[in-house]
DNA sequence: TTGTAAGCGTTATCAT
DNA sequence: ATGATAACGCTTACAA
């Protein structure tokens, strides 16, 4: 019925190869593993037979025996966010080259889903975990308790109290720069869509914003700090409030929330950037395509992913800071009649 | 040194629980697996001890023993494309609920990477594979040879000759509708950015485009069919050529290529939609945000992912067609003056 | 250079 | 209801 008999039985084992060759599984294992303690002839014979029989190694068995796997788990809030999918891309890039595969979990910003994902990864005895926690996530202690001794690299959204490698953006410096830019463009009442204060990244951005104001002699006004989820809808609401509050600019700690704010401004007939300046955060693809194009504090997600992967591979436990880069586009650039 | 001794040794096994309780691993296994053939008291004792010792099951061992895993591999060209990350999201949604986890691989449109990914998944003895092949991918036969008897669900970009479940968009109907829309908006010389003819999805879109033209009595003109990669740059080039060729509209089989075409039109001072209509494919987020906003043939990636996952779970081998939906925005909507 | 044998942690079969 | 035992496929001392 079936021409290539070997391929059909599907699950060829090293024992099958061994018996076919009249040798033992150990030798086959060694030959296939590139162990030098095996005759050149034998190795060739084994390799040929393996190919002929369509052998594919069973990494499950191999992992069990070796007590380790070549899978790295990546846990992110949502994979369809460009920022995160690029982080994943960068990490995968480095990890694949090092012989690792990647198991991706998304938490959809749910703390319970995060716990479940971490537990699942632990149960697979993954070699390590790269984590960016859900916005309202549990404490660092809890993560550590689930993960036990599994190596952990945190990125972007990190628990500062949790030991181990961390890759973070230069949030404070970046927000400082973004806010200074708005000031230098002669905006004077600058509010901020600050994000969730449960996450260190947003705390730092707020700090940078505040620092910029104060260094320019502008008093910090908590009434125009909008602590919100950084999605389009909440950005829209913050935009409305900022208008009410007499703001003429907003620094948003997110990109989609900046978009929402611009929705509100357009709706109210307020011109951007002439009457109102907006700078967002994260260089999502749409930011350069919308009208007015959105000035934004670009992160380097691909590099962040690469850095996280390298930190895992190196077993590092330090904190690496990835610079941010202010990309000035239309939404914050007043015409030059200064 | 360490307070919670159990948590520190990290790898508690059912044998540890068994000895701690003075029973055998078999009983512990049964208790944990919810096997009814175990006394209620014992079950409770085991569960408590397991919790107390911080036991986490070793799914690697379990998988090896059971000869199957609860991992489903998903292979896509690039995860950062919204279309694919939404497919993944939909599939993950369904699969997680069914107790499966998802191993994601991206091929970056490279046939070799695809082979490697499939082989890796096979080596992990995944329960199944959901695949959207790289644009210049190998033949269906080759896929089947690598995967052996591993269940396969193809989606979006499928090999028609390969047996098994397929989830596809209504490409022909959709492209027909998109092109008819351009015709009804009184565009008359309509070109197309057709994509790679090595992929069935694009072949079908081209067929739909052609069908629409012919049904409207417009001759099909191969000289304004631009078979290209559907990225922004090639879209730009196609846009330039379409202008040269005297077109007044383009149906693009991709979204980014439509964007590129509009780049070219803007550069040449040609007004969209007044002088030139454009419809793209795939409802990427940016399409609604750009100016002019891009009319596009929306797919339903999330639903496609769900359908693929369900097809896997059901062991189905039929072809399911996910409808497409024309979203008319500015880029193809001429002002209403007759 | 190769074979023998034990074991990774779990589950399934067969006894008891 | 529980225990003993083997097995999943692979790796690795240790022995030969």
């Amino acid at each position: 019925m079936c021409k290539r008999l070997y391929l059909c039985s599907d699950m060829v084992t090293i024992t099958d190869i061994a018996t076919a060759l009249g040798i033992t599984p150990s030798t086959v294992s060694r030959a296939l593993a590139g162990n030098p303690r095996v005759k050149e002839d034998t190795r060739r014979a084994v390799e040929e037979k393996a190919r002929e029989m369509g052998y594919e190694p069973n990494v499950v068995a191999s992992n069990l025996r070796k007590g380790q796997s070549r899978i790295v788990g990546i846990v992110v809030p949502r994979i369809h966010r460009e920022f995160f999918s690029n982080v994943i891309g960068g990490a995968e890039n480095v990890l694949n080259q090092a012989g690792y595969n990647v198991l991706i979990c998304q938490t959809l910003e749910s703390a319970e889903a995060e716990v479940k994902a971490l537990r699942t990864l632990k149960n697979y005895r993954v070699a390590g975990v790269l984590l960016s926690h859900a916005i309202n996530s549990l404490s660092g202690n809890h993560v550590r308790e689930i993960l036990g001794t599994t190596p952990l690299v945190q990125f972007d959204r990190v628990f500062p109290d949790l030991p181990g490698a961390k890759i973070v953006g230069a949030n404070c410096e970046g927000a400082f720069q973004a806010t200074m830019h708005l000031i230098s463009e002669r905006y004077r009442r600058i509010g901020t869509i600050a994000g969730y204060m449960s996450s260190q990244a947003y705390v730092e951005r707020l700090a940078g914003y505040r620092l910029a104001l104060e260094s320019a002699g502008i008093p910090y006004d908590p009434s125009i700090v909008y602590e919100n989820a950084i999605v389009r809808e909440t950005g829209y609401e913050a935009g409305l409030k900022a208008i009410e509050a007499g703001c003429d600019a907003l620094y948003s700690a997110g990109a989609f929330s900046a978009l929402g704010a611009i929705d509100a401004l357009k709706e109210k007939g307020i011109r951007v950037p002439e009457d109102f300046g907006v700078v967002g955060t994260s260089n999502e693809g749409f930011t350069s395509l919308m009208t007015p194009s959105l000035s934004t504090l670009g992160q380097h997600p691909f590099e962040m992913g690469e850095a996280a992967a390298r930190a895992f591979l190196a077993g590092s436990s330090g904190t690496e800071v990835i610079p941010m880069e202010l990309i000035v586009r239309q939404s914050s650039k007043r015409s030059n009649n200064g």
Side-chain angles (χ1 to χ4, degrees), chain A:
Chain A
M1 354 203 61
C2 177
K3 308 265 181 52
R4 276 155 304 145
L5 193 67
Y6 292 138
L7 277 175
C8 295
S9 73
D10 209 26
M11 297 283 134
V12 180
T13 70
I14 57 170
T15 311
D16 297 335
I17 299 177
T19 53
L21 248 38
I23 58 178
T24 62
S26 0
T27 307
V28 176
S29 174
R30 278 189 287 256
L32 259 23
N35 188 317
R37 289 153 49 100
V38 53
K39 216 189 342 183
E40 196 44 41
D41 294 0
T42 319
R43 148 167 300 108
R44 238 194 307 278
V46 167
E47 276 164 359
E48 188 179 327
K49 203 59 163 179
R51 207 175 3 259
E52 180 192 332
M53 299 178 77
Y55 170 76
E56 292 292 343
N58 184 331
V59 300
V60 177
S62 167
N63 287 347
L64 175 62
R65 175 60 234 248
K66 295 199 281 196
Q68 52 129 43
S69 86
R70 302 292 279 184
I71 300 186
V72 170
I74 304 187
V75 182
V76 293
R78 357 184 70 102
I79 69 163
H80 73 259
R81 289 271 285 271
E82 273 176 79
F83 174 77
F84 290 114
S85 58
N86 282 311
V87 171
I88 293 170
E92 210 190 15
N93 199 26
V94 170
L95 290 171
N96 283 350
Q97 277 172 15
Y100 286 88
N101 285 98
V102 157
L103 193 61
I104 296 171
C105 308
Q106 49 182 339
T107 61
L108 302 173
E109 305 286 15
S110 143
E112 304 91 77
E114 185 171 301
V115 170
K116 192 156 162 279
L118 291 171
R119 192 153 278 143
T120 301
L121 293 172
K122 180 67 179 179
N123 294 356
Y124 275 106
R125 302 294 188 268
V126 294
V129 171
L130 314 186
L131 167 69
S132 191
H133 70 247
I135 201 80
N136 63 340
S137 169
L138 35 80
S139 72
N141 287 339
H142 206 340
V143 172
R144 191 67 287 163
E145 236 170 65
I146 296 173
L147 248 28
T149 58
T150 303
L152 170 71
V153 177
Q154 300 185 80
F155 63 89
D156 189 45
R157 300 183 188 170
V158 305
F159 294 114
D161 57 312
L162 196 55
K166 300 179 190 71
I167 317 291
V168 294
N171 291 296
C172 185
E173 294 79 352
F176 178 87
Q177 210 187 334
T179 310
M180 285 308 268
H181 161 67
L182 284 169
I183 294 170
S184 75
E185 290 289 325
R186 288 164 291 111
Y187 298 104
R188 282 297 167 262
R189 186 158 165 76
I190 303 168
T192 185
I193 301 176
Y196 277 115
M197 288 307 110
S198 56
S199 189
Q200 180 69 5
Y202 295 109
V203 171
E204 289 172 4
R205 287 176 202 174
L206 181 56
Y209 156 85
R210 181 171 186 165
L211 219 59
L213 292 185
E214 291 175 348
S215 83
I218 302 173
Y220 172 77
D221 180 354
S223 77
I224 54 175
V225 171
Y226 305 102
E227 291 185 15
N228 272 305
I230 36 118
V231 297
R232 189 169 183 175
E233 291 71 27
T234 52
Y236 171 82
E237 286 157 24
L240 292 181
K241 286 186 203 152
I243 296 167
E244 288 270 314
C247 290
D248 66 351
L250 274 172
Y251 162 64
S252 168
F256 287 94
S257 46
L259 171 62
I262 289 179
D263 290 339
L265 292 163
K266 279 184 179 165
E267 189 182 291
K268 295 293 180 188
I270 297 172
R271 294 175 305 166
V272 178
E274 293 83 351
D275 305 328
F276 202 112
V278 179
V279 176
T281 305
S282 192
N283 192 16
E284 301 281 321
F286 73 84
T287 55
S288 67
L289 298 171
M290 54 187 281
T291 305
S293 59
L294 181 67
S295 296
T296 199
L297 186 54
Q299 313 185 65
H300 293 110
F302 199 86
E303 285 76 8
M304 189 175 274
E306 290 184 321
R310 274 196 286 263
F312 159 71
L313 292 173
S316 116
S317 64
T319 294
E320 185 174 342
V321 178
I322 308 287
M324 287 183 159
E325 183 188 354
L326 182 64
I327 302 164
V328 176
R329 297 204 185 94
Q330 292 167 357
S331 68
S332 66
K333 195 142 188 61
R334 284 212 233 238
S335 46
N336 299 339
N337 57 334

